[in-house]
Amino acid sequence: MDPIALYRRAWDALKPNLMGWVVFYGVFFFVSLITGGLGIVLMPNAHRELRDARAEARGPDISRLFRFDRIGNDVVNGVIFIGATWLGGMAAGIGASIAAVLLEMLMPLAAEDRYSPVDNAKLSVHYVLKNLGEAGMVFLIASALAFLGVFTFCLAFPVILPLIGMATQIYYEDKKDEMDEMAKGMGLLTVGGDR
């Protein structure tokens, strides 16, 4: 898979409703800022809306960012992601980035709600380690875009965040059958979900 083409596909998916996505991610970014990063709990909802809006060829619905019917699992997925990146950062300077790469698929998996949060993390790590070059390139592009957002004093984040989110969601959707096969091979049990 060509990571540049992935981001082009993400841009093409966002363009028809770009202002809606800017507002959606602007709200998400604002909530994350005022809660000290606790907006990570809303990340599975953001991925659910990325998935659904793309499938239905529509713009985002901000109210879906604040659905709390799966809050228990969403909190655990968020804690796993934040905890792993925090511990990685404590262990080594680049440890947070390594943890973020390894958990690159965690939030799209959380959005599906097919596996337990711990199994989501295991599956993400397993998939990324097996496809490290490809997953690493997707993450490097996301990191470069995030750096651009910081360089613009966060002014570009309302456009950059949905682009990174959509690219990650499309990447997951392209690989989800492969990941489900990996999950079977790992003996992970499905717990329900949207599929």
Side-chain angles (χ1 to χ4, degrees):
M1 182 196 65
D2 177 4
I4 300 292
L6 172 68
Y7 279 87
R8 282 192 197 114
R9 287 171 61 199
W11 179 249
D12 289 342
L14 294 171
K15 268 193 309 191
N17 299 291
L18 185 59
M19 284 313 300
W21 287 111
V22 166
V23 171
F24 184 89
Y25 268 87
V27 169
F28 174 74
F29 186 64
F30 179 72
V31 169
S32 294
L33 282 177
I34 65 170
T35 61
L38 293 179
I40 191 74
V41 172
L42 301 179
M43 188 68 78
N45 280 342
H47 276 279
R48 289 179 188 112
E49 187 58 4
L50 286 162
R51 176 197 64 203
D52 295 346
R54 182 169 172 257
E56 297 165 15
R58 61 169 174 80
D61 178 347
I62 291 176
S63 69
R64 292 184 179 203
L65 187 60
F66 299 101
R67 288 177 46 192
F68 298 112
D69 54 323
R70 299 175 185 175
I71 191 68
N73 280 348
D74 292 350
V75 167
V76 176
N77 281 296
V79 166
I80 289 170
F81 186 84
I82 292 294
T85 53
W86 182 77
L87 287 173
M90 295 293 287
I94 62 166
S97 293
I98 292 169
V101 171
L102 292 174
L103 296 175
E104 187 169 12
M105 295 295 205
L106 177 64
M107 291 305 169
L109 282 163
E112 295 287 327
D113 213 24
R114 286 176 43 80
Y115 306 105
S116 73
V118 171
D119 286 348
N120 287 338
K122 288 179 189 175
L123 185 53
S124 180
V125 169
H126 187 75
Y127 175 81
V128 168
L129 287 175
K130 195 163 182 150
N131 300 280
L132 193 54
E134 182 179 270
M137 284 303 297
V138 171
F139 180 80
L140 282 175
I141 294 169
S143 297
L145 289 169
F147 178 76
L148 176 64
V150 171
F151 186 72
T152 62
F153 303 101
C154 300
L155 294 176
F157 272 140
V159 174
I160 289 171
L161 291 177
L163 181 60
I164 292 170
M166 185 63 81
T168 304
Q169 184 61 35
I170 292 171
Y171 183 40
Y172 166 75
E173 288 173 13
D174 286 352
K175 306 298 181 179
K176 69 182 172 182
D177 290 337
E178 181 182 344
M179 293 182 76
D180 283 344
E181 285 303 311
M182 280 185 179
K184 285 179 190 171
M186 295 167 67
L188 305 183
L189 300 175
T190 58
V191 293
D194 292 341
R195 276 180 65 192

